[in-house]
Amino acid sequence: MQQILKRLAQTWMQHIHPRLMSFIAAVGMLWLGTCLLILLGLANLAEEVLEREAFFFDESVLLWINQFATPTLDRVMLTFTRLGDPSTVVPLTCIGFSGLWWRRHRSVAIAFAINCVGGAVLSTGLKLLFSKDRPALWPQIITETTYSFPSGHALGSMVLYGFSAYLLARRFPRQKLIIYAGAVFLIGGIGLSRLYLGVHWPTDVLAGYGIGFLWISGCIALLRFKLSTPPWLN
């Protein structure tokens, strides 16, 4: 037993510990600090939602956005919101996983699947937990039957498109700024469409983004640690 513990300690110090420290150094304190701030913000949001408290700016923001509604904007926002629908997200997830697996990027494929499936589970579970009603401030052009908090479209778009952008940026580092800018535009457009269409409160969308960011951060951390670990330690 003593020999086993000694070997584990040596393995930790020689292989795992340096890689863990290098990973923390790579992501930096800014990333860790951002995650902490998001976590604190989500805790405050969750407490207010559970206590059925109303946020003073939620209704005002929605009514302000609604004053810009036009038939053309309706079509644009419907297009954005469809990019976050399960009917779009699920096939894209299957295509992404299949492509990675077929190209023998097995660890990345598994991380991609965990990321996407875990995001869906989080969205469904948290909606049932908080059971928050959706806004009904004007006649809506689409109908949603699930609960409101957090926004599944915001969370799902962050999880799928955010993680995909990270993988693409690793594959094409010279184009990473364009890739990340495109992801931000897409994710932001999906969240804004939910507000424009009046099916989510602003705090729902913010919570979806926050939870999604924390989830993909954890999945990226695990993937990077996995890829930096020697095969014989897997």
Side-chain angles (χ1 to χ4, degrees):
M1 183 65 180
Q2 187 175 8
Q3 290 297 324
I4 294 175
L5 292 175
K6 185 178 180 180
R7 178 62 185 278
L8 289 174
Q10 290 175 343
T11 299
W12 169 263
M13 295 304 298
Q14 294 175 6
H15 299 284
I16 301 178
H17 180 266
R19 287 177 172 79
L20 184 60
M21 292 300 101
S22 64
F23 170 71
I24 293 175
V27 299
M29 295 304 295
L30 178 61
W31 176 80
L32 295 174
T34 300
C35 289
L36 180 59
L37 288 175
I38 291 174
L39 192 60
L40 291 174
L42 287 173
N44 289 329
L45 274 179
E47 183 180 3
E48 296 297 323
V49 173
L50 284 173
E51 293 177 355
R52 300 293 188 242
E53 296 289 338
F55 295 93
F56 70 93
F57 61 88
D58 264 347
E59 184 173 326
S60 299
V61 170
L62 286 187
L63 292 174
W64 180 79
I65 292 174
N66 182 248
Q67 69 179 325
F68 300 103
T70 65
T72 301
L73 268 181
D74 287 352
R75 291 191 290 272
V76 171
M77 291 303 170
L78 284 172
T79 299
F80 269 107
T81 211
R82 289 187 186 112
L83 294 174
D85 285 346
S87 59
T88 301
V89 169
V90 173
L92 288 178
T93 299
C94 294
I95 292 170
F97 174 80
S98 300
L100 291 168
W101 192 269
W102 180 71
R103 294 176 64 87
R104 299 187 183 279
H105 300 308
R106 302 296 167 79
S107 296
V108 180
I110 292 172
F112 182 78
I114 292 172
N115 169 73
C116 294
V117 174
V121 171
L122 276 173
S123 176
T124 302
L126 290 172
K127 282 179 181 293
L128 293 174
L129 174 64
F130 290 101
S131 301
K132 183 181 178 182
D133 293 330
R134 290 180 181 269
L137 301 180
W138 60 79
Q140 297 165 351
I141 58 178
I142 62 172
T143 302
E144 298 286 357
T145 57
T146 59
Y147 291 115
S148 186
F149 186 92
S151 167
H153 278 64
L155 195 161
S157 64
M158 177 68 75
V159 165
L160 174 60
Y161 300 119
F163 196 84
S164 298
Y166 169 77
L167 295 180
L168 288 172
R170 281 178 59 93
R171 178 66 177 84
F172 305 102
R174 292 184 179 180
Q175 289 79 36
K176 66 179 181 181
L177 291 180
I178 297 175
I179 293 170
Y180 283 130
V184 169
F185 176 76
L186 180 58
I187 295 168
I190 291 172
L192 178 60
S193 73
R194 306 306 283 172
L195 302 181
Y196 177 90
L197 296 170
V199 293
H200 275 298
W201 302 104
T203 44
D204 301 336
V205 173
L206 290 175
Y209 283 153
I211 295 166
F213 181 83
L214 291 177
W215 180 247
I216 64 171
S217 295
C219 291
I220 289 172
L222 289 174
L223 175 61
R224 292 182 62 170
F225 183 73
K226 172 73 174 178
L227 295 178
S228 68
T229 304
W232 61 272
L233 286 178
N234 293 341

